[in-house]
Amino acid sequence: MTRATEAATAGAIALVIYIAAWIGVIPLPQTFYEQILPVLPWWSLVSFGAYSLGSIGYHLMTFEDCPGAYQELMGQIQEAKIELSAKGVPIS
Amino acid sequence: MSAHSVLHIDDTPMTDKYSVLLPTYNERENLPIIVYLLEKTFSQANIDWEIVIIDDASPDGTQDVARALINVYGEDKILLRPRSGKLGLGTAYIYGMQHATGNFIIIMDADFSHHPKFIPQFIRLQKQHDYDIVSGTRYRPGGGVYGWDFRRKLVSRGANFLASTMLRPNASDLTGSFRLYKKHVLARLMEVTVSKGYVFQMEMIVRARQLNFTVGEVPITFVDRLYGESKMGVSEIVQYAEGVWRLFVTV
Ligand SMILES: Nc1nc2c(ncn2[C@@H]2O[C@H](COP(=O)(O)OP(=O)(O)O)[C@@H](O)[C@H]2O)c(=O)[nH]1
Ligand SMILES: [Mg+2]
């Protein structure tokens, strides 16, 4: 099953449950029916959007810059150039 | 089952050998240094190694440097396998793998963005869990990137979030190409992978999940290419998004 099929299946199941609740096949308390059901799709959408932004933002903030790795590499490149030149490898 | 299978008793070598595939295109400045660092890492860690250089007729004289390296390190250690033109990375790996004699394959870039010092960690983790693949990751704690501005980080993070959410693979760095593979695992993945360019690495790790190969991860620091250009423009982003969609509907 591809990820697309999985997503479509999950979406279809959610839709069926939602419609069933909407037309009253699933018995629900009146407040849920009146106040939660109409906004549920939007709420899901907004939640997902917020989660996405939060996740990307968090990972952006914690993205390491690794200056140490750069310093280390620079030193090693110098060392390598000296050693390689001594062995007769053309270094530019 | 063929008659050959009966005779085929055990092809597992007594000791492990690691073949590094280095595709090069105009890497005359970088190649000798990366080879130097690889040799140093392997001999310090007492690991059996070879490097397969797949050069696509670089006009800058990369192959002359490669031949000088063969003189220094020996032709059993440095295998120069040139091709007649710039045929792309995907086929370069296939070509390189055909010439590799190790039972493990390490794929990395020749531009220092992948540091050899992580290879012993890859190997250790692979041995501990008998993983089919060990992937370097820039996106887990301990990993990171040097030399990216805010825009580049944002694109990278956004792209990775999109792909991780849609494809849910067993790895956090989908486009990273610093990885260790069991040779037969890589061969199998190459057989089924059809994408080119940026999407190639992503498809490999997504197919790995599909084929139930196990994947371990090692955080790596990634120093973006110092000499020459690394590209990430609008056309790369579009190509990437198309690739994610194609994998979403096919794998
Ligand atoms: N043989 C071969 N190597 C290539 C080709 N294109 C890129 N490379 C090499 O593949 C590695 C990654 O390429 P790079 O330009 O750094 O890609 P990036 O890191 O994704 O921007 C480097 O070692 C390049 O020299 C190609 O067409 N043929
Ligand atoms: Mg690079």
Side-chain angles (χ1 to χ4, degrees):
Chain A
M1 192 151 70
T2 69
R3 290 306 197 208
T5 328
E6 278 176 26
T9 311
I13 291 171
L15 191 67
V16 166
I17 293 174
Y18 187 77
I19 292 171
W22 194 252
I23 61 176
V25 175
I26 303 171
L28 291 166
Q30 194 65 16
T31 49
F32 188 93
Y33 190 77
E34 280 169 359
Q35 294 181 12
I36 297 181
L37 216 50
V39 293
L40 197 61
W42 306 115
W43 179 84
S44 318
L45 203 67
V46 170
S47 303
F48 179 71
Y51 163 73
S52 307
L53 287 181
S55 169
I56 294 174
Y58 172 76
H59 286 118
L60 260 177
M61 271 164 50
T62 55
F63 211 138
E64 289 287 339
D65 281 318
C66 318
Y70 175 75
Q71 293 302 333
E72 181 191 19
L73 179 61
M74 284 302 135
Q76 289 172 334
I77 289 175
Q78 286 316 314
E79 176 199 310
K81 283 185 173 171
I82 295 165
E83 297 277 329
L84 286 164
S85 304
K87 288 179 174 141
V89 178
I91 297 294
S92 32
Chain B
M1 194 171 272
S2 73
H4 286 102
S5 314
V6 182
L7 302 171
H8 181 101
I9 298 164
D10 185 13
D11 63 355
T12 325
M14 296 296 285
T15 55
D16 293 323
K17 180 170 179 180
Y18 296 84
S19 302
V20 180
L21 304 190
L22 275 187
T24 57
Y25 190 76
N26 287 347
E27 301 286 4
R28 183 173 55 110
E29 293 177 56
N30 296 333
L31 181 65
I33 295 163
I34 197 75
V35 168
Y36 172 86
L37 293 174
L38 280 165
E39 189 278 333
K40 206 171 161 184
T41 305
F42 285 128
S43 54
Q44 275 173 5
N46 206 8
I47 293 164
D48 191 11
W49 63 283
E50 70 183 5
I51 296 172
V52 184
I53 299 168
I54 308 102
D55 185 72
D56 278 0
S58 301
D60 75 340
T62 302
Q63 289 178 29
D64 300 333
V65 176
R67 278 186 285 271
L69 290 165
I70 292 173
N71 288 335
V72 174
Y73 296 107
E75 59 183 4
D76 55 328
K77 290 297 184 197
I78 313 287
L79 286 64
L80 175 59
R81 297 294 179 266
R83 297 193 297 175
S84 56
K86 195 170 191 312
L87 301 171
L89 269 180
T91 53
Y93 293 131
I94 296 173
Y95 187 76
M97 189 175 61
Q98 286 163 354
H99 292 95
T101 65
N103 55 328
F104 285 95
I105 306 275
I106 293 160
I107 286 183
M108 65 191 289
D109 292 357
D111 61 3
F112 307 137
S113 46
H114 301 147
H115 198 294
K117 71 182 172 190
F118 295 109
I119 292 175
Q121 295 179 38
F122 283 29
I123 293 174
R124 210 174 309 129
L125 188 70
Q126 191 284 325
K127 281 193 196 300
Q128 270 168 19
H129 302 274
D130 193 31
Y131 284 133
D132 295 317
I133 302 165
V134 174
S135 175
T137 175
R138 297 163 287 184
Y139 300 128
R140 280 185 34 185
V145 178
Y146 177 87
W148 279 5
D149 58 9
F150 183 78
R151 191 195 92 95
R152 189 71 177 76
K153 285 183 188 170
L154 180 64
V155 169
S156 164
R157 268 303 182 189
N160 207 61
F161 178 81
L162 177 79
S164 307
T165 309
M166 287 177 69
L167 306 173
R168 283 176 288 125
N170 305 324
S172 58
D173 194 339
L174 300 181
T175 50
S177 51
F178 191 9
R179 294 182 187 146
L180 165 71
Y181 296 87
K182 286 180 180 169
K183 189 178 186 181
H184 72 269
V185 169
L186 182 61
R188 181 81 187 95
L189 288 171
M190 296 278 198
E191 266 172 38
V192 294
T193 298
V194 292
S195 303
K196 302 272 176 289
Y198 268 96
V199 186
F200 176 81
Q201 300 295 346
M202 186 162 55
E203 179 169 352
M204 296 264 281
I205 210 76
V206 171
R207 295 277 179 198
R209 184 256 299 152
Q210 182 189 38
L211 298 171
N212 293 319
F213 290 133
T214 53
V215 184
E217 289 196 296
V218 171
I220 58 159
T221 53
F222 179 103
V223 177
D224 207 2
R225 78 167 34 252
L226 305 166
Y227 311 111
E229 295 214 342
S230 201
K231 62 272 158 198
M232 175 46 86
V234 174
S235 82
E236 276 78 21
I237 296 172
V238 170
Q239 189 195 330
Y240 178 87
E242 283 172 359
V244 172
W245 180 259
R246 201 175 54 248
L247 295 177
F248 182 61
V249 295
T250 56
V251 184

